[in-house]
Amino acid sequence: MKIKLTRRGFLAATGSALAAPAVLSLGSPARAQAKPVRVGYIADYFGTSLTAVASDQGLWAKHGLEPELKVFTNGPIQVQALGAGSLDFGYVGPGALWLPASGKAKIVAMNALGLSDRVIAQAGFNSMADLKGKKVGVPEGTSGDMLLRLALAKAGMQLSDVEVVKMDPSTVVSAFASKQIDGAGIWYPLVGVIKKTVPDLVEVAQSADFFPANSFPSAFVARNEVAAEDQDTVRKMIAVLKDANDFRAADVPRSVDITAKFLGVPADPLVTESKNGKYLTSAELAAATKDGTVAGWLKGLNEQFVAFGKLKDPLDPKDYYLGDLYAG
């Protein structure tokens, strides 16, 4: 059976089966006063770690929530579920943040800054310029796509200067390994998977090259109706995320173990992913919200989404990031 990888579905590529159930109910009859909430996550480190820590540390009950946890393969599907009324909160990576920027959801909390993206090339290609006219595979609309465009611009090139081949992440892995493409815009840990077959690949660009001017934040989003009509639940969700975030920031290795146990998978791929992120404490995120840093991240993404043709007129971050609630 062919397993298709999504933006954050790398665990299957490492040979690990996703053991997390599609729905987890962590409620108890004794907690009748707890507010039921439906929360989405993606089965990898960035997409699961705060949910796993909250479950392991009893943070849901601490803040008066009874979660029904649902696993998804990507952010856009979660935003669809939010719009359909079948989900209250979800997790999205940077590639899906154009959806709240278009009014489809509200951001309630930032998660982490991803530094895992790379533009890779076959041996013999040592720069973006070397890839001119060559086949470059990329999952469209992902942070790998973003990095490819940024790296081309930095080199004074345009997207039309390379032969872009749109493919899903699993196809990028197999196509690069079989040398059907010359380069790729992709991310760790998939780069590590590719290196097992192509150890002499060259990393010609990385997301850290553009940080902090261009950042790749992931975030938690809420259904618009929940954000507008039930701020008490939103505040409780933010409190859970803050506590889980600070636990993770203080002990990333332990959070990796907790996440691996939650997902029922080996820790190694999660370790790799965790090493390619920047984790701020909740106090730091609140300060970054107040001083406009977070708005700067989101505006930078908006500019990229406009350049990509995803959006024509994105909302101002103040209209879709509930920063006052997070930093309050």
Side-chain angles (χ1 to χ4, degrees), residues 10-49:
F10 71 87
L11 291 173
T14 67
S16 303
L18 292 179
V23 177
L24 292 174
S25 180
L26 302 181
S28 165
R31 300 192 184 279
Q33 301 304 311
K35 172 72 173 182
V37 288
R38 299 161 299 178
V39 181
Y41 66 97
I42 295 176
D44 67 358
Y45 181 72
F46 286 119
T48 301
S49 53

CSV table of all heavy atoms in Angstrom, one decimal, residues 10-49:
chain,number,residue,atom,x,y,z
A,10,PHE,N,5.6,12.9,8.0
A,10,PHE,CA,6.8,12.3,7.7
A,10,PHE,C,7.0,10.9,8.4
A,10,PHE,O,7.8,10.1,8.0
A,10,PHE,CB,8.0,13.2,8.1
A,10,PHE,CG,8.1,13.3,9.6
A,10,PHE,CD1,8.9,12.4,10.3
A,10,PHE,CD2,7.5,14.3,10.3
A,10,PHE,CE1,9.0,12.5,11.7
A,10,PHE,CE2,7.6,14.4,11.6
A,10,PHE,CZ,8.4,13.5,12.3
A,11,LEU,N,6.3,10.7,9.5
A,11,LEU,CA,6.6,9.5,10.2
A,11,LEU,C,6.4,8.2,9.4
A,11,LEU,O,7.2,7.2,9.6
A,11,LEU,CB,5.6,9.4,11.5
A,11,LEU,CG,5.9,10.5,12.5
A,11,LEU,CD1,4.8,10.5,13.6
A,11,LEU,CD2,7.3,10.3,13.1
A,12,ALA,N,5.5,8.2,8.5
A,12,ALA,CA,5.3,7.0,7.7
A,12,ALA,C,6.5,6.7,6.8
A,12,ALA,O,6.9,5.6,6.6
A,12,ALA,CB,4.1,7.1,6.8
A,13,ALA,N,7.2,7.8,6.4
A,13,ALA,CA,8.4,7.7,5.5
A,13,ALA,C,9.5,7.0,6.3
A,13,ALA,O,10.5,6.5,5.7
A,13,ALA,CB,8.8,9.0,5.0
A,14,THR,N,9.5,7.1,7.6
A,14,THR,CA,10.6,6.5,8.4
A,14,THR,C,10.4,5.1,8.7
A,14,THR,O,11.1,4.4,9.4
A,14,THR,CB,10.8,7.3,9.7
A,14,THR,OG1,9.7,7.1,10.5
A,14,THR,CG2,11.0,8.8,9.4
A,15,GLY,N,9.2,4.6,8.2
A,15,GLY,CA,8.9,3.2,8.5
A,15,GLY,C,8.1,3.0,9.7
A,15,GLY,O,7.8,1.9,10.2
A,16,SER,N,7.6,4.1,10.4
A,16,SER,CA,6.8,4.0,11.6
A,16,SER,C,5.4,4.2,11.3
A,16,SER,O,5.0,5.0,10.5
A,16,SER,CB,7.2,5.2,12.5
A,16,SER,OG,8.6,5.1,12.8
A,17,ALA,N,4.6,3.3,11.9
A,17,ALA,CA,3.1,3.4,11.6
A,17,ALA,C,2.5,4.4,12.6
A,17,ALA,O,2.9,4.4,13.8
A,17,ALA,CB,2.5,2.1,11.8
A,18,LEU,N,1.6,5.2,12.2
A,18,LEU,CA,1.0,6.2,13.1
A,18,LEU,C,0.0,5.4,14.0
A,18,LEU,O,-1.0,4.9,13.5
A,18,LEU,CB,0.2,7.3,12.3
A,18,LEU,CG,1.2,8.2,11.6
A,18,LEU,CD1,0.3,9.2,10.8
A,18,LEU,CD2,2.1,8.9,12.5
A,19,ALA,N,0.3,5.3,15.3
A,19,ALA,CA,-0.5,4.5,16.2
A,19,ALA,C,-1.6,5.4,16.9
A,19,ALA,O,-2.4,4.9,17.6
A,19,ALA,CB,0.4,3.8,17.2
A,20,ALA,N,-1.5,6.7,16.7
A,20,ALA,CA,-2.5,7.6,17.4
A,20,ALA,C,-3.9,7.3,16.8
A,20,ALA,O,-4.1,7.3,15.6
A,20,ALA,CB,-2.1,9.0,17.2
A,21,PRO,N,-4.8,7.2,17.7
A,21,PRO,CA,-6.2,7.0,17.2
A,21,PRO,C,-6.7,8.3,16.6
A,21,PRO,O,-6.3,9.3,16.9
A,21,PRO,CB,-7.0,6.6,18.5
A,21,PRO,CG,-6.2,7.3,19.6
A,21,PRO,CD,-4.7,7.1,19.1
A,22,ALA,N,-7.7,8.1,15.7
A,22,ALA,CA,-8.3,9.3,15.1
A,22,ALA,C,-9.0,10.2,16.0
A,22,ALA,O,-9.0,11.4,15.9
A,22,ALA,CB,-9.3,8.8,14.0
A,23,VAL,N,-9.5,9.6,17.1
A,23,VAL,CA,-10.2,10.5,18.1
A,23,VAL,C,-9.8,10.0,19.5
A,23,VAL,O,-9.9,8.8,19.7
A,23,VAL,CB,-11.8,10.4,17.9
A,23,VAL,CG1,-12.4,11.2,19.0
A,23,VAL,CG2,-12.2,10.9,16.6
A,24,LEU,N,-9.4,10.9,20.3
A,24,LEU,CA,-9.1,10.5,21.7
A,24,LEU,C,-10.0,11.3,22.6
A,24,LEU,O,-10.1,12.6,22.5
A,24,LEU,CB,-7.7,10.8,22.1
A,24,LEU,CG,-6.6,10.0,21.4
A,24,LEU,CD1,-5.2,10.5,21.7
A,24,LEU,CD2,-6.7,8.5,21.8
A,25,SER,N,-10.7,10.7,23.5
A,25,SER,CA,-11.5,11.4,24.5
A,25,SER,C,-10.9,11.3,25.9
A,25,SER,O,-10.7,10.2,26.3
A,25,SER,CB,-13.0,10.9,24.6
A,25,SER,OG,-13.7,11.6,25.5
A,26,LEU,N,-10.5,12.4,26.4
A,26,LEU,CA,-9.8,12.4,27.7
A,26,LEU,C,-10.6,12.9,28.8
A,26,LEU,O,-10.2,13.3,29.9
A,26,LEU,CB,-8.5,13.3,27.6
A,26,LEU,CG,-7.5,13.0,26.5
A,26,LEU,CD1,-6.4,13.9,26.5
A,26,LEU,CD2,-7.1,11.5,26.6
A,27,GLY,N,-11.9,12.8,28.6
A,27,GLY,CA,-12.8,13.3,29.6
A,27,GLY,C,-13.1,12.3,30.7
A,27,GLY,O,-12.7,11.1,30.6
A,28,SER,N,-13.8,12.7,31.7
A,28,SER,CA,-14.2,11.8,32.8
A,28,SER,C,-15.5,12.2,33.3
A,28,SER,O,-15.9,13.3,33.4
A,28,SER,CB,-13.1,11.9,34.0
A,28,SER,OG,-13.6,11.3,35.1
A,29,PRO,N,-16.4,11.2,33.6
A,29,PRO,CA,-17.7,11.5,34.2
A,29,PRO,C,-17.7,12.4,35.4
A,29,PRO,O,-18.6,13.2,35.7
A,29,PRO,CB,-18.3,10.1,34.5
A,29,PRO,CG,-17.6,9.2,33.6
A,29,PRO,CD,-16.2,9.7,33.5
A,30,ALA,N,-16.5,12.3,36.1
A,30,ALA,CA,-16.4,13.1,37.4
A,30,ALA,C,-16.2,14.6,37.1
A,30,ALA,O,-16.3,15.4,38.0
A,30,ALA,CB,-15.3,12.5,38.2
A,31,ARG,N,-15.8,14.9,35.8
A,31,ARG,CA,-15.5,16.3,35.5
A,31,ARG,C,-16.7,16.9,34.7
A,31,ARG,O,-16.5,17.4,33.6
A,31,ARG,CB,-14.2,16.3,34.7
A,31,ARG,CG,-13.0,15.8,35.5
A,31,ARG,CD,-11.7,16.1,34.8
A,31,ARG,NE,-10.6,15.5,35.5
A,31,ARG,CZ,-10.1,16.1,36.6
A,31,ARG,NH1,-10.5,17.2,37.1
A,31,ARG,NH2,-9.0,15.4,37.2
A,32,ALA,N,-17.9,16.8,35.3
A,32,ALA,CA,-19.1,17.3,34.6
A,32,ALA,C,-19.0,18.8,34.2
A,32,ALA,O,-19.7,19.2,33.3
A,32,ALA,CB,-20.3,17.0,35.4
A,33,GLN,N,-18.2,19.5,35.0
A,33,GLN,CA,-18.2,21.0,34.8
A,33,GLN,C,-17.2,21.4,33.7
A,33,GLN,O,-17.2,22.5,33.3
A,33,GLN,CB,-17.8,21.7,36.1
A,33,GLN,CG,-18.8,21.4,37.3
A,33,GLN,CD,-20.2,21.8,36.9
A,33,GLN,OE1,-20.5,22.9,36.4
A,33,GLN,NE2,-21.2,20.9,37.2
A,34,ALA,N,-16.4,20.5,33.3
A,34,ALA,CA,-15.4,20.8,32.2
A,34,ALA,C,-16.1,21.1,30.9
A,34,ALA,O,-17.1,20.5,30.6
A,34,ALA,CB,-14.4,19.6,32.1
A,35,LYS,N,-15.5,22.0,30.2
A,35,LYS,CA,-16.1,22.4,28.9
A,35,LYS,C,-15.6,21.5,27.8
A,35,LYS,O,-14.4,21.4,27.6
A,35,LYS,CB,-15.6,23.9,28.6
A,35,LYS,CG,-16.0,24.4,27.2
A,35,LYS,CD,-17.5,24.6,27.1
A,35,LYS,CE,-17.8,25.3,25.7
A,35,LYS,NZ,-19.2,25.6,25.5
A,36,PRO,N,-16.5,20.8,27.1
A,36,PRO,CA,-16.0,20.0,26.0
A,36,PRO,C,-15.5,20.8,24.8
A,36,PRO,O,-16.1,21.8,24.4
A,36,PRO,CB,-17.3,19.2,25.6
A,36,PRO,CG,-18.3,19.4,26.7
A,36,PRO,CD,-17.9,20.7,27.3
A,37,VAL,N,-14.4,20.4,24.3
A,37,VAL,CA,-13.8,21.1,23.1
A,37,VAL,C,-13.2,20.0,22.2
A,37,VAL,O,-12.8,19.0,22.6
A,37,VAL,CB,-12.7,22.1,23.5
A,37,VAL,CG1,-13.2,23.3,24.1
A,37,VAL,CG2,-11.6,21.4,24.3
A,38,ARG,N,-13.3,20.3,20.9
A,38,ARG,CA,-12.8,19.4,19.8
A,38,ARG,C,-11.5,20.1,19.3
A,38,ARG,O,-11.6,21.2,18.8
A,38,ARG,CB,-13.8,19.2,18.8
A,38,ARG,CG,-15.1,18.5,19.3
A,38,ARG,CD,-16.3,18.8,18.3
A,38,ARG,NE,-16.6,20.2,18.2
A,38,ARG,CZ,-17.5,20.6,17.4
A,38,ARG,NH1,-18.3,19.8,16.7
A,38,ARG,NH2,-17.8,22.0,17.3
A,39,VAL,N,-10.4,19.3,19.4
A,39,VAL,CA,-9.1,19.9,19.1
A,39,VAL,C,-8.4,19.0,18.1
A,39,VAL,O,-8.2,17.8,18.3
A,39,VAL,CB,-8.2,20.0,20.4
A,39,VAL,CG1,-6.9,20.7,20.1
A,39,VAL,CG2,-9.0,20.9,21.5
A,40,GLY,N,-7.9,19.7,17.1
A,40,GLY,CA,-7.1,18.9,16.0
A,40,GLY,C,-5.6,19.0,16.2
A,40,GLY,O,-5.1,20.0,16.8
A,41,TYR,N,-4.9,18.0,15.7
A,41,TYR,CA,-3.5,18.0,15.8
A,41,TYR,C,-3.0,17.2,14.6
A,41,TYR,O,-3.7,16.5,13.9
A,41,TYR,CB,-2.9,17.4,17.1
A,41,TYR,CG,-3.2,15.9,17.3
A,41,TYR,CD1,-2.2,15.0,17.0
A,41,TYR,CD2,-4.4,15.5,17.8
A,41,TYR,CE1,-2.5,13.6,17.1
A,41,TYR,CE2,-4.7,14.2,18.0
A,41,TYR,CZ,-3.7,13.2,17.6
A,41,TYR,OH,-4.0,11.9,17.8
A,42,ILE,N,-1.7,17.4,14.3
A,42,ILE,CA,-1.0,16.7,13.2
A,42,ILE,C,0.1,15.8,13.8
A,42,ILE,O,0.8,16.2,14.7
A,42,ILE,CB,-0.4,17.7,12.2
A,42,ILE,CG1,-1.5,18.5,11.5
A,42,ILE,CG2,0.4,16.9,11.1
A,42,ILE,CD1,-0.9,19.6,10.5
A,43,ALA,N,0.1,14.6,13.3
A,43,ALA,CA,1.0,13.5,14.0
A,43,ALA,C,2.4,13.7,13.7
A,43,ALA,O,3.1,12.9,13.0
A,43,ALA,CB,0.5,12.2,13.6
A,44,ASP,N,3.0,14.8,14.2
A,44,ASP,CA,4.5,14.9,14.2
A,44,ASP,C,4.9,15.8,15.4
A,44,ASP,O,4.0,16.1,16.3
A,44,ASP,CB,5.0,15.5,12.9
A,44,ASP,CG,4.5,17.0,12.7
A,44,ASP,OD1,3.8,17.5,13.6
A,44,ASP,OD2,4.9,17.5,11.7
A,45,TYR,N,6.1,16.1,15.6
A,45,TYR,CA,6.5,16.8,16.8
A,45,TYR,C,5.9,18.2,16.9
A,45,TYR,O,5.3,18.6,17.9
A,45,TYR,CB,8.0,17.0,16.9
A,45,TYR,CG,8.5,17.7,18.2
A,45,TYR,CD1,8.4,17.0,19.4
A,45,TYR,CD2,9.0,19.0,18.1
A,45,TYR,CE1,8.7,17.7,20.6
A,45,TYR,CE2,9.3,19.6,19.3
A,45,TYR,CZ,9.2,19.0,20.5
A,45,TYR,OH,9.5,19.6,21.7
A,46,PHE,N,6.1,19.1,15.9
A,46,PHE,CA,5.5,20.4,15.9
A,46,PHE,C,4.0,20.4,16.1
A,46,PHE,O,3.4,21.2,16.8
A,46,PHE,CB,5.9,21.2,14.7
A,46,PHE,CG,7.3,21.6,14.7
A,46,PHE,CD1,8.2,21.2,13.6
A,46,PHE,CD2,7.8,22.5,15.6
A,46,PHE,CE1,9.5,21.6,13.6
A,46,PHE,CE2,9.2,22.9,15.6
A,46,PHE,CZ,10.0,22.5,14.6
A,47,GLY,N,3.4,19.5,15.4
A,47,GLY,CA,1.9,19.4,15.4
A,47,GLY,C,1.2,18.7,16.5
A,47,GLY,O,0.0,18.8,16.7
A,48,THR,N,2.0,18.0,17.4
A,48,THR,CA,1.5,17.2,18.5
A,48,THR,C,2.0,17.6,19.8
A,48,THR,O,1.3,17.4,20.8
A,48,THR,CB,1.7,15.7,18.2
A,48,THR,OG1,1.1,15.3,17.0
A,48,THR,CG2,1.1,14.8,19.3
A,49,SER,N,3.2,18.1,19.9
A,49,SER,CA,3.9,18.2,21.2
A,49,SER,C,3.1,18.9,22.3
A,49,SER,O,3.0,18.4,23.4
A,49,SER,CB,5.3,18.8,21.0
A,49,SER,OG,5.2,20.0,20.3
